[in-house]
C-alpha cells in the first residue's frame, strides 16, 4: 500500500513537472487547512475556476465521513448535521435531501474521484480563501464564538424564510443588505487571521437564488479589504456575509425599512453604548389628559436613537439621530409658543424606541398630526436636498402644505413630496409625514443640517407651516 502510494506520488510529481513547464496556470494549487498544508497522492486540479481534489482530502484531510458507491458513481460526504451527495459528471448536489446546482462537476480522473472542494466544504461549514499569486487554497473551520448551548427558553421555531435581494456598499463604508423578512443579526462572529466579521442571517436565502459566493474587493480603504456573501448553510437555512476588516475597524448595525445597514468605522468613532434602558413606559390604556386643554395635539418623532444611530455623516463625523433630536427640540420650542398646541415627543433624549411604540404613542395620545424628522443618506454623495414623505391619502395634503416650509427651513435643494411606506406614517391613522431634511451623505447638506442657525430656521419654518395647516393664526 505504502509503496503504491509513493509510486503514484512520484508519477504525479513527474506529471506535474512536465505539465507545468511554461504553463503557470497548470501548476496544481496547494491546499491548506488552518494554515497546514494537506497532501494527497493526486494533485488538486483547477477546472473552470473550481478546485477539484481527490476524495481522500475530504476524509483524511478534513475528517469527513466519505462513501463511494461505484455502481451509481455516487459520493456521499457527511458531518454531524449535513449529508452531501454528488454524482460523477452531474453539476448538482443533494444536501440533506435538497437538490442544488453547483458550478463544478465531480469527475473521474485517472481512476480517481475528484470533487469540487469548495462547493462541498462550504456546505459543511468551511470558509475558503484563494491566494491567486501563490496558487493556494486556504480553508478555515468556522467556530461559533461560544460553544452552542441549547437555549431552553426559546426553542428554535421554524420561521418564515427571508430573502436577501441585494448587498451593496456606499462611499461611507456602510454595507446595506436589502431584504424581505430577514431578521437583523444579533452580532457577528469575529474571526482572526485575517480579521473578519461574519454576519449570519437565519432562515434566509437569496432572491434570485444563487449558488457559490459573491465576492467584492475594496481597494484603498483602511476599514476593509472586501466582503463576500453566500448561502452558508441549508440546514438550518443560513446566509452569511463575511467582511475582511482592518485592525481597527468597528461596526454599527442598524435597520431601516427592508434594509439592514452595517456601518464600518474606526473603533474610536463607535457611538457609546446606550445607558441602561430607561424603565419602559407602562402601556397606556386610557390616554392621560396631558393636553392642558389645548385643542390640538402634535406628536413630534425624532427618528432613531441610542443604539440605532441612523445615517452617518462622514464629513461631520456625526449621526442622524443627533440631528433628528436637535431639530425636534427646536420645532417643539417654536410650537409651544402657541398655547393651543399640545406638543408631545416620542423621544426627548438619546433613547431607543421601537417603531411600533412610536406609532402606539401617537395613537394613544390621539394626536391630530404626526411629524417624524429624519435625515437621509445615499451611496452617491452628490445627491442632496429635502424631501417630505407621506403614505396614506389623509396625509398627502399635510405633506404638500408643509413641504415649502421644510425647504424654507433647510434652505436645501427641493427633492419634492414623495409617497413611501415608512412604518410610522403608514401605521398611524392621523395625518402623518416623515421629513428627510437633507442627505448626510452629501457634505453640503450635512454641514447645513448640523449648523445651529439652520436648525433654528427649520424649527421656526416648520412650526409656522404646522400652525398654518391647523389654521391657527
Ligand atoms: Zn432616518
Amino acid at each position: 500500500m505504502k509503496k503504491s502510494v509513493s509510486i503514484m506520488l512520484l508519477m504525479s510529481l513527474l506529471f506535474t513537472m512536465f505539465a507545468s513547464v511554461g504553463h503557470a496556470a497548470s501548476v496544481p494549487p496547494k491546499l491548506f487547512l488552518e494554515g497546514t498544508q494537506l497532501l494527497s497522492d493526486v494533485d488538486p486540479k483547477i477546472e473552470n475556476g473550481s478546485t477539484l481534489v481527490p476524495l481522500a482530502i475530504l476524509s483524511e484531510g478534513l475528517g469527513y465521513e466519505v462513501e463511494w458507491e461505484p455502481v451509481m458513481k455516487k459520493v456521499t460526504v457527511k458531518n454531524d448535521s449535513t449529508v452531501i451527495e454528488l454524482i460523477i459528471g452531474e453539476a448538482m448536489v443533494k444536501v440533506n435531501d435538497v437538490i442544488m446546482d453547483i458550478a463544478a462537476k465531480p469527475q473521474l480522473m485517472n481512476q480517481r474521484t475528484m470533487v469540487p472542494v469548495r462547493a462541498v466544504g462550504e456546505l459543511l461549514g468551511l470558509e475558503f480563501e484563494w491566494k491567486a499569486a501563490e496558487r493556494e487554497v486556504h480553508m478555515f473551520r468556522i467556530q461559533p464564538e461560544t460553544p452552542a448551548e441549547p437555549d431552553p427558553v426559546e426553542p428554535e421555531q421554524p420561521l418564515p424564510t427571508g430573502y436577501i435581494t441585494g448587498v451593496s456598499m456606499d462611499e461611507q463604508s456602510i454595507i446595506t443588505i436589502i431584504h424581505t423578512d430577514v431578521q437583523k443579526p444579533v452580532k457577528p462572529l469575529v474571526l482572526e487571521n485575517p480579521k473578519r466579521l461574519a454576519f449570519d442571517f437565519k432562515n434566509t436565502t437569496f432572491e434570485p437564488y444563487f449558488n457559490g459566493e459573491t465576492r467584492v474587493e475594496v481597494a484603498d480603504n483602511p476599514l476593509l479589504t472586501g466582503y463576500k456573501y453566500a448561502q452558508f448553510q441549508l440546514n438550518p437555512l443560513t446566509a452569511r456575509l463575511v467582511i475582511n476588516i482592518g485592525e481597527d475597524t468597528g461596526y454599527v448595525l442598524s435597520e431601516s425599512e427592508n434594509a439592514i445597514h452595517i456601518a464600518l468605522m474606526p473603533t474610536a468613532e463607535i457611538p457609546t453604548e446606550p445607558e441602561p434602558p430607561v424603565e419602559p413606559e407602562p402601556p397606556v390604556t386610557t390616554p392621560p389628559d396631558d393636553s392642558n386643554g389645548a385643542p390640538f395635539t402634535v406628536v413630534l418623532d425624532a427618528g432613531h436613537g441610542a443604539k440605532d444611530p441612523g445615517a452617518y455623516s462622514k464629513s461631520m463625523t456625526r449621526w442622524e439621530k443627533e440631528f433628528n433630536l436637535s431639530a425636534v427640540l427646536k420645532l417643539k420650542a417654536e410650537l409651544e409658543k402657541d398655547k393651543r398646541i399640545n406638543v408631545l415627543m416620542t423621544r426627548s433624549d438619546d433613547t431607543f424606541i421601537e417603531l411600533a411604540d412610536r406609532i402606539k404613542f401617537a395613537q394613544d395620545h390621539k394626536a391630530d398630526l404626526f411629524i417624524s424628522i429624519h435625515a437621509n443618506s445615499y451611496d452617491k454623495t452628490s445627491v442632496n436636498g429635502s424631501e417630505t414623505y407621506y403614505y396614506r391619502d389623509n396625509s398627502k395634503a399635510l405633506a404638500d402644505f408643509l413641504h415649502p416650509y421644510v425647504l424654507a427651513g433647510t434652505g436645501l435643494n427641493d427633492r419634492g413630496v414623495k409617497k413611501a411606506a415608512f412604518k410610522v406614517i403608514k401605521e398611524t391613522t392621523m395625518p402623518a409625514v416623515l421629513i428627510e431634511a437633507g442627505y448626510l451623505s452629501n457634505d453640503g447638506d450635512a454641514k447645513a443640517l448640523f449648523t445651529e442657525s439652520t436648525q433654528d430656521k427649520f424649527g421656526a419654518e416648520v412650526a409656522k407651516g404646522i400652525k398654518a395647516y391647523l389654521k391657527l393664526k
Side-chain angles (χ1 to χ4, degrees), residues 222-223 248-251 264-271 312 314:
L223 295 171
D248 185 38
T249 302
Y251 68 94
L264 300 170
M265 64 194 69
T267 45
E269 286 174 24
I270 301 282
Y312 183 63
K314 206 162 202 174

Side-chain angles (χ1 to χ4, degrees), residues 176-177 326:
T176 293
I177 296 106
S326 305

Side-chain angles (χ1 to χ4, degrees), residues 133-450:
E134 296 90 346
R135 297 185 66 76
E136 291 177 1
V137 178
H138 284 259
M139 297 177 273
F140 304 92
R141 288 200 177 94
I142 297 168
Q143 306 283 4
E145 260 187 342
T146 46
E149 217 170 272
D151 190 338
V153 188
E154 289 177 77
E156 202 139 345
Q157 297 285 338
L159 295 169
T161 303
Y163 296 95
I164 291 175
T165 53
V167 179
S168 62
M169 192 181 88
D170 68 15
E171 291 169 19
Q172 301 179 79
S173 306
I174 299 173
I175 296 176
T176 293
I177 296 106
I178 307 292
H179 68 83
T180 305
D181 296 330
V182 172
Q183 282 193 302
K184 190 173 79 171
V186 182
K187 63 176 190 166
L189 303 174
V190 181
L191 308 162
E192 299 290 338
N193 297 324
K195 208 167 173 194
R196 288 154 292 158
L197 298 175
F199 291 87
D200 279 349
F201 301 88
K202 303 279 182 215
N203 294 291
T204 297
T205 183
F206 291 89
E207 180 61 45
Y209 184 77
F210 73 99
N211 190 260
E213 77 177 13
T214 301
R215 194 179 271 258
V216 179
E217 306 284 344
V218 177
D220 301 327
N221 188 329
L223 295 171
L224 73 166
T225 57
Y227 60 91
K228 59 185 184 175
Y229 49 96
Q231 189 73 54
F232 174 61
Q233 266 179 183
L234 289 182
N235 187 23
L237 195 62
T238 308
R240 171 170 282 189
L241 167 71
V242 179
I243 308 170
N244 284 56
I245 56 171
E247 270 314 304
D248 185 38
T249 302
Y251 68 94
V252 173
L253 259 182
S254 64
E255 252 181 315
S256 58
E257 193 91 1
N258 296 329
I260 294 164
H261 311 280
I262 302 164
L264 300 170
M265 64 194 69
T267 45
E269 286 174 24
I270 301 282
T272 46
E273 281 293 303
E275 280 109 71
V278 183
E279 262 317 279
E281 250 179 83
V284 184
T285 41
T286 49
D289 185 16
D290 52 5
S291 63
N292 303 322
F296 295 105
T297 294
V298 175
V299 168
L300 302 181
D301 176 49
H304 311 277
K307 67 180 184 185
D308 166 24
Y312 183 63
S313 162
K314 206 162 202 174
S315 57
M316 304 298 290
T317 61
R318 295 186 68 178
W319 291 94
E320 181 196 342
K321 65 175 184 174
E322 302 172 54
F323 165 77
N324 298 343
L325 182 59
S326 305
V328 156
L329 291 170
K330 303 276 190 195
L331 179 53
K332 176 177 191 269
E334 287 293 328
L335 283 174
E336 281 183 333
K337 290 178 183 168
D338 192 316
K339 297 296 168 217
R340 292 168 292 182
I341 304 176
N342 172 37
V343 187
L344 301 174
M345 292 182 290
T346 54
R347 69 175 176 102
S348 54
D349 55 17
D350 188 21
T351 308
F352 175 74
I353 299 167
E354 297 283 356
L355 295 178
D357 293 334
R358 297 170 193 254
I359 294 161
K360 187 173 190 308
F361 181 86
Q363 295 300 116
D364 285 347
H365 288 90
K366 297 190 163 56
D368 296 292
L369 299 180
F370 179 89
I371 315 285
S372 188
I373 306 291
H374 285 252
N376 219 332
S377 181
Y378 193 61
D379 53 8
K380 273 207 186 67
T381 56
S382 58
V383 172
N384 64 337
S386 306
E387 298 152 341
T388 303
Y389 286 88
Y390 71 98
Y391 181 72
R392 286 171 284 105
D393 290 343
N394 71 346
S395 304
K396 186 174 189 305
L398 174 63
D400 287 336
F401 190 91
L402 224 46
H403 188 61
Y405 293 90
V406 171
L407 295 176
T410 62
L412 300 177
N413 180 32
D414 180 3
R415 290 184 53 84
V417 171
K418 297 177 176 187
K419 181 172 177 174
F422 293 112
K423 195 177 170 88
V424 289
I425 56 173
K426 183 181 169 193
E427 293 181 14
T428 44
T429 56
M430 71 292 303
V433 296
L434 187 148
I435 296 168
E436 293 279 8
Y439 278 76
L440 295 186
S441 43
N442 176 269
D443 292 354
D445 278 16
K447 190 168 181 211
L449 295 182
F450 282 110

Side-chain angles (χ1 to χ4, degrees), residues 1-14 39-43 54 56 60 112:
M1 184 67 189
K2 262 225 150 73
K3 201 171 188 178
S4 73
V5 168
S6 50
I7 289 170
M8 283 187 72
L9 184 66
L10 181 67
M11 283 172 62
S12 78
L13 272 175
L14 286 171
L39 297 169
S40 58
D41 54 353
V42 177
D43 281 319
E60 284 152 34
R112 302 301 299 264

